[in-house]
Amino acid sequence: MIKAEQILTLVKPFSEDGKILIRTKEQINENIRDFVYLTDNNQLIACAGLKDCKEDNMGEIYSLAVSKKVQKTGLSLKLLEKIMFKAKAKKFSKVFALTKHSTNWFIKHGFIQMSIIDLPQKHQVSFNQERNSSIFFKNVN
């Protein structure tokens, strides 16, 4: 089982670059069941959270990270497959992600850019306008 410390270590460089929102160890621990991950020799090399939005039958992908050592090797697609499998198991109709970077990656993998009004209501209210994230949706099928 993956631990919060491993997730924090993996996402730290991306958080420092402003690509992933900073989360605390406690936040990760509270939501550890949200995460799907890939390992190599018991080392965490990729992860992403999938949170149930509890409205509109949607899930939010967050803290998606692939270790810089193994980027551009196809692991992000394997991770996305795990995310979509979990989304299907949870019977989500759509998943979405907010990002300031990697917009091409989302488009390349079948996500469609949408606007704030397409988000679940509670996410519209908490949307950080200053961060100016792009919003991407993908149907679960």
Side-chain angles (χ1 to χ4, degrees):
M1 184 65 157
I2 283 303
K3 294 183 169 56
E5 295 85 9
Q6 293 168 286
I7 293 171
L8 286 171
T9 300
L10 178 63
V11 302
K12 184 179 180 184
F14 303 101
S15 296
E16 289 171 347
D17 290 347
K19 294 178 180 177
I20 292 179
L21 289 178
I22 297 170
R23 293 194 175 17
T24 65
K25 181 179 173 185
E26 292 74 27
Q27 288 172 315
I28 299 287
N29 267 328
E30 286 171 17
N31 299 291
I32 198 80
R33 288 193 170 108
D34 286 354
F35 283 86
V36 296
Y37 52 87
L38 299 170
T39 59
D40 184 34
N41 293 326
N42 294 322
Q43 290 288 104
L44 181 65
I45 56 172
C47 72
L50 179 63
K51 182 178 296 300
D52 185 346
C53 292
K54 309 267 192 248
E55 64 180 289
D56 298 337
N57 210 23
M58 285 192 223
E60 178 184 11
I61 299 169
Y62 67 97
S63 294
L64 191 152
V66 175
S67 171
K68 291 183 179 187
K69 292 182 249 177
V70 293
Q71 286 183 355
K72 299 188 185 341
T73 62
L75 288 177
S76 64
L77 185 56
K78 287 182 183 176
L79 186 62
L80 179 59
E81 288 170 359
K82 288 186 88 157
I83 293 166
M84 297 309 289
F85 183 82
K86 184 172 184 168
K88 191 172 188 174
K90 289 183 161 282
K91 301 190 180 349
F92 294 154
S93 60
K94 291 181 184 175
V95 294
F96 69 91
L98 307 176
T99 186
K100 286 185 56 99
H101 305 277
S102 305
T103 55
N104 289 338
W105 183 89
F106 284 98
I107 292 167
K108 178 180 172 185
H109 291 95
F111 285 77
I112 298 169
Q113 190 163 3
M114 305 291 271
S115 70
I116 189 171
I117 61 167
D118 299 304
L119 289 172
Q121 186 65 38
K122 111 180 140 184
H123 281 74
Q124 289 180 33
V125 172
S126 64
F127 186 79
N128 183 344
Q129 296 284 351
E130 289 178 19
R131 188 161 164 79
N132 196 28
S133 296
S134 296
I135 303 164
F136 288 94
F137 280 85
K138 183 175 178 84
N139 287 327
V140 177
N141 43 16

